[in-house]
Amino acid sequence: MSSAYVAPSIVLTDSPPYVPSGAQAKPSDDNVFISTYTYTEFTLTMNATGSPPVSIRPLLQPTEAPQAGDPFLDP
């Protein structure tokens, strides 16, 4: 059984060129366009998993200044 390798071909387009169905009317007044603009709203589903953030109490404050060579001073 022998199968010859065929190199893939590069496709430069993934869809046919856009052809408008008719004359495209451009709005002359922004207020008219905004008042007639329509859109579709979709309900967002919140799916929160995991633990809540650790913010139950304030963070502890340092009791002394960092010393030379402390990793806090040299990120």
Side-chain angles (χ1 to χ4, degrees):
M1 177 171 159
S2 88
S3 64
Y5 172 75
V6 177
S9 61
I10 297 174
V11 178
L12 299 177
T13 60
D14 61 349
S15 59
Y18 172 72
V19 178
S21 59
Q24 304 297 311
K26 295 181 181 177
S28 59
D29 184 11
D30 290 340
N31 293 328
V32 172
F33 173 74
I34 291 171
S35 68
T36 60
Y37 181 77
T38 58
Y39 60 94
T40 303
E41 286 189 39
F42 295 98
T43 304
L44 297 177
T45 304
M46 300 302 291
N47 186 8
T49 59
S51 302
V54 180
S55 62
I56 298 164
R57 57 181 178 242
L59 297 175
L60 296 175
Q61 299 299 315
T63 56
E64 58 185 36
Q67 301 297 318
D70 192 315
F72 182 74
L73 295 176
D74 186 23

